[in-house]
Amino acid sequence: MIRTENLTKVYRMGEVEVQALRDVNLEIQDGEFIAIIGPSGSGKSTLLNMIGCLDKPTSGAVLIDDINTGKLSENELAEIRREKIGFIFQQFNLIHTLNALENVALPIFFAGVRREKRLKRAEEQLVKVGLEDRIYHKPSEMSGGEQQRVAIARALSNDPEIVIGDEPTGNVDTEAGNAIMDILEGLNREGRTIIVVTHDADIAARAGRTKRMRDGKVLD
Amino acid sequence: MIDKFLMAYRSIRERRARSILTVLGIVVGIAAIVSLMSVGYGMEEAITGELTAMADLISVMPGKITGATYVELGGFTDRDVKDLQRIGGIKDISAMTYDAVEVEYRNKRAPIFVFGGDTKELEGFYVEPVGLKEGRWLRENDYKGCVIGDRVANDFFDEVIQVNDKLIINGEKFIVVGVFEKASTLYAADVDPHIFLTLRASKEVLQTDEVKYIMVRVYDIDEAEEIAEEIMEVINDNHGLDDFATAMTMGSMIELMGDIFNIIRGVLVGIAAIALIVASIGIMNTMLMSVMERTHEIGVMKAIGAKSRDVLSLFLLESSMVSLVGGVLGCGLGVIVAKGLSFVASMASGLEIEAIVKPEVILGGIAVAMIVGVLSGFYPARKASKMSPVEAVRYG
């Protein structure tokens, strides 16, 4: 279970303080598929970064399975990101010098798994997202939809409980977007918690629950 | 681990031109160190080697050496030579004399230093290392024969002097029986501008009984210093002066040379070190640029679970691979340059200088390259590892 308690994040942009999140209290149950929607600047991505342990709150707390992530060291946070969470970005964020297989294997590499085992696991993930014929392709040789599927395979490579998508369909066409949502639904059916940020109402409609954000607050 | 190497290698290859330039910087730095040191050792070896071959020799001069200048205070007498013969441990003594006199060849005159001494001793001392170009060396009964240095033969007169030509030395006729080869640096000043006679002939020509130089050979090299002290005492007593004679062993000359070479080597290494510092700034610059360019990539790696340590080690590996390659190539180039330099130095000096590539210099060169790589890669790598994932991902 993921819970935020009075989660607040303040950014400093020069002299101006920007309140990205204000006292957000949100509970996400294990195995839930939740979509967070809202206009840009409403704090959706900031919230995802907090839940995904990429950033630390100014005040308040994020608890993942009752562990207060704010109290963890950098290394412990890296471990949570690696083992518990799979992150999917709008811009795919693949490493362009590595091919699909190596990109997917990267988180397993950081986990210290042996090469053979690692590549086998990575290959399985690529097969799972339907890219068995793109294994040795570089990101630049693939379409946006394919790249995003590689990114999903990468997010799944350490078998995380939670998959977080920051506008995962934002940079692909409708068809590819639907394919991506199909995959995410499948992951949800496997029992994984799926959290996506989107401003596409159709995409949001496929989630089990939708939360709307505005001005750093979650609306009820 | 293999994969880390692979990743580092890929990112080096990704920036091929810049990586090559960085490697080149290290190569030049290391090659400079290796080659300069190897040539330095070679030079030292060549010179001390020649001196060591004469280690049983003590040179006795009637004068003082202060710093690099020799001031002649007079000449030795026959009595001095006789007294030296009473000192124990001496194998043989050979007295020599020299002076500048007027020499005439085909109606041209020039002042030239004439050298006279025991023909056997002179042969061992000059003929063996330098060699004769024409003719033969003096015999003890060659009262009217002379052997001339290369410059005497070729430079001092309008016409080149050859064997069987006649010279008039201080009014007396002599026949040239031999001509020396052009001497190496070590001997050039002693041989090239001189005319050599037997001791008896030189005493006549120079009209003196004075001895200007005594060469003493000892049986036991370890006793050389003691014997040298004794020689000075005996001669100083004869002349009633405190420091009239200077007796120098080859050992003390080798020591003197060693000191000089340490200084030379220090200067050479200093120059090479500057090259290396420039190269290490190059590595740091390359790595900093690489970090900046890959800010986004670093953010992504951290977002998918890389620890700071993982990022740090990746970047350190990259910089140390660059510098290792640079180090190895630098050593290779250094050896080649050393061979080339020693060849040029041999040609220029006439000494046989062979670059000495010591294994510890090679290992040291590679080690220095690695240290430079790790040190100059550390700051950029640390900077990369400290980046916040959110900000890094957002970058670019």
Side-chain angles (χ1 to χ4, degrees), chain A residues 5-152:
Chain A
E5 285 176 353
N6 299 324
L7 185 61
T8 301
K9 181 71 181 179
V10 181
Y11 286 117
R12 203 169 251 292
M13 309 267 276
E15 288 296 300
V16 193
E17 280 190 351
V18 181
Q19 282 232 312
L21 292 176
R22 302 162 195 255
D23 291 320
V24 172
N25 288 291
L26 184 69
E27 257 190 40
I28 301 168
Q29 301 301 323
D30 287 343
E32 230 190 312
F33 188 160
I34 181 169
I36 297 163
I37 56 173
S40 45
S42 61
K44 309 181 298 278
S45 292
T46 307
L47 179 60
L48 274 199
N49 288 341
M50 297 293 157
I51 293 172
C53 297
L54 290 179
D55 210 349
K56 287 193 167 182
T58 309
S59 67
V62 175
L63 295 105
I64 298 176
D65 296 337
D66 291 324
I67 298 164
N68 185 347
T69 59
K71 293 211 157 44
L72 299 179
S73 70
E74 284 295 328
N75 277 346
E76 287 167 323
L77 286 174
E79 203 174 313
I80 288 192
R81 291 197 293 266
R82 201 178 68 211
E83 302 294 335
K84 278 199 173 203
I85 298 167
F87 218 105
I88 306 165
F89 304 88
Q90 183 177 1
Q91 305 292 341
F92 325 135
N93 287 346
L94 299 175
I95 309 284
H96 64 283
T97 50
L98 305 179
N99 64 30
L101 187 68
E102 291 163 333
N103 263 291
V104 176
L106 204 52
I108 326 176
F109 167 58
F110 291 131
V113 175
R114 271 196 311 119
R115 181 180 169 85
E116 279 166 50
K117 206 166 153 192
R118 178 166 83 230
L119 293 180
K120 191 163 161 277
R121 241 161 81 183
E123 194 176 336
E124 282 166 14
Q125 297 305 328
L126 281 170
V127 172
K128 198 164 163 182
V129 296
L131 288 176
E132 54 274 12
D133 54 348
R134 290 285 186 275
I135 286 175
Y136 299 111
H137 287 231
K138 288 272 176 71
S140 57
E141 298 159 349
M142 289 185 278
S143 71
E146 284 170 339
Q147 287 187 55
Q148 192 59 301
R149 272 144 70 196
V150 173
I152 292 172

Side-chain angles (χ1 to χ4, degrees), chain B residues 6-25:
Chain B
L6 211 70
M7 281 180 76
Y9 168 69
R10 289 235 181 118
S11 92
I12 290 168
R13 207 184 51 184
E14 179 83 2
R15 295 156 186 82
R16 190 174 295 145
R18 200 192 312 149
S19 300
I20 289 173
L21 289 176
T22 313
V23 167
L24 209 62

Side-chain angles (χ1 to χ4, degrees), chain B residues 196-244:
Chain B
F196 294 85
L197 305 177
T198 62
L199 187 60
R200 204 179 124 179
S202 64
K203 279 184 172 172
E204 266 172 44
V205 166
L206 302 175
Q207 291 163 350
T208 175
D209 265 341
E210 269 188 350
V211 169
K212 288 287 182 62
Y213 183 67
I214 301 173
M215 274 197 298
V216 174
R217 278 187 200 277
V218 297
Y219 285 109
D220 186 353
I221 294 166
D222 294 336
E223 284 176 4
E225 287 298 334
E226 263 171 65
I227 293 171
E229 288 293 322
E230 226 177 314
I231 290 170
M232 286 194 274
E233 250 171 64
V234 168
I235 296 175
N236 287 343
D237 273 1
N238 283 352
H239 292 260
L241 287 165
D242 271 346
D243 46 7
F244 173 72

Side-chain angles (χ1 to χ4, degrees), chain B residues 148-366:
Chain B
I148 59 177
D150 177 77
R151 290 182 59 203
V152 178
N154 296 304
D155 299 346
F156 287 179
F157 298 95
D158 293 344
E159 290 169 80
V160 173
I161 306 172
Q162 282 164 334
V163 171
N164 292 328
D165 282 342
K166 287 186 187 65
L167 294 181
I168 298 168
I169 302 173
N170 216 11
E172 295 193 36
K173 268 191 196 165
F174 282 86
I175 293 173
V176 176
V177 297
V179 179
F180 272 107
E181 291 274 7
K182 188 165 174 47
S184 68
T185 315
L186 203 60
Y187 290 97
D190 288 343
V191 176
D192 288 355
H194 294 158
I195 294 173
F196 294 85
L197 305 177
T198 62
L199 187 60
R200 204 179 124 179
S202 64
K203 279 184 172 172
E204 266 172 44
V205 166
L206 302 175
Q207 291 163 350
T208 175
D209 265 341
E210 269 188 350
V211 169
K212 288 287 182 62
Y213 183 67
I214 301 173
M215 274 197 298
V216 174
R217 278 187 200 277
V218 297
Y219 285 109
D220 186 353
I221 294 166
D222 294 336
E223 284 176 4
E225 287 298 334
E226 263 171 65
I227 293 171
E229 288 293 322
E230 226 177 314
I231 290 170
M232 286 194 274
E233 250 171 64
V234 168
I235 296 175
N236 287 343
D237 273 1
N238 283 352
H239 292 260
L241 287 165
D242 271 346
D243 46 7
F244 173 72
T246 301
M248 227 161 108
T249 62
M250 280 299 150
S252 59
M253 273 178 93
I254 291 170
E255 247 168 60
L256 201 74
M257 286 293 200
D259 288 346
I260 293 170
F261 274 107
N262 277 338
I263 294 167
I264 292 176
R265 219 176 8 244
V267 171
L268 293 182
V269 169
I271 293 168
I274 291 170
L276 208 61
I277 288 170
V278 173
S280 78
I281 293 171
I283 294 195
M284 201 182 283
N285 186 37
T286 309
M287 293 308 295
L288 272 175
M289 280 179 75
S290 183
V291 166
M292 254 174 61
E293 277 178 354
R294 284 150 74 193
T295 301
H296 177 72
E297 197 178 307
I298 292 162
V300 172
M301 285 193 198
K302 291 192 112 181
I304 62 172
K307 289 180 183 167
S308 297
R309 208 176 48 212
D310 295 322
V311 176
L312 185 77
S313 67
L314 261 176
F315 276 82
L316 274 186
L317 196 64
E318 208 176 304
S319 65
S320 43
M321 272 169 74
V322 164
S323 54
L324 179 66
V325 171
V328 170
L329 292 180
C331 284
L333 182 68
V335 170
I336 295 169
V337 170
K339 303 264 180 213
L341 275 182
S342 59
F343 180 73
V344 172
S346 303
M347 295 295 280
S349 67
L351 262 175
E352 206 159 294
I353 296 169
E354 196 177 338
I356 296 171
V357 183
K358 296 197 176 184
E360 55 260 42
V361 170
I362 295 286
L363 290 180
I366 292 173

Side-chain angles (χ1 to χ4, degrees), chain B residues 41-94:
Chain B
Y41 280 125
M43 263 162 68
E44 187 175 3
E45 185 69 25
I47 292 177
T48 53
E50 299 230 20
L51 293 180
T52 311
M54 309 181 281
D56 59 346
L57 205 72
I58 301 173
S59 305
V60 191
M61 291 158 282
K64 273 194 301 196
I65 294 177
T66 36
T69 49
Y70 169 66
V71 183
E72 198 176 82
L73 298 173
F76 298 125
T77 59
D78 283 342
R79 191 184 146 205
D80 291 330
V81 179
K82 280 206 183 72
D83 285 351
L84 290 190
Q85 278 159 355
R86 282 202 285 272
I87 298 175
I90 291 178
K91 194 155 82 183
D92 55 46
I93 296 170
S94 106

Side-chain angles (χ1 to χ4, degrees), chain B residues 365-394:
Chain B
I366 292 173
V368 165
M370 288 292 283
I371 290 166
V372 163
V374 170
L375 287 185
S376 51
F378 190 78
Y379 168 66
R382 198 174 153 74
K383 196 172 160 171
S385 74
K386 288 284 171 214
M387 279 184 196
S388 134
V390 182
E391 282 164 36
V393 168
R394 209 180 287 146

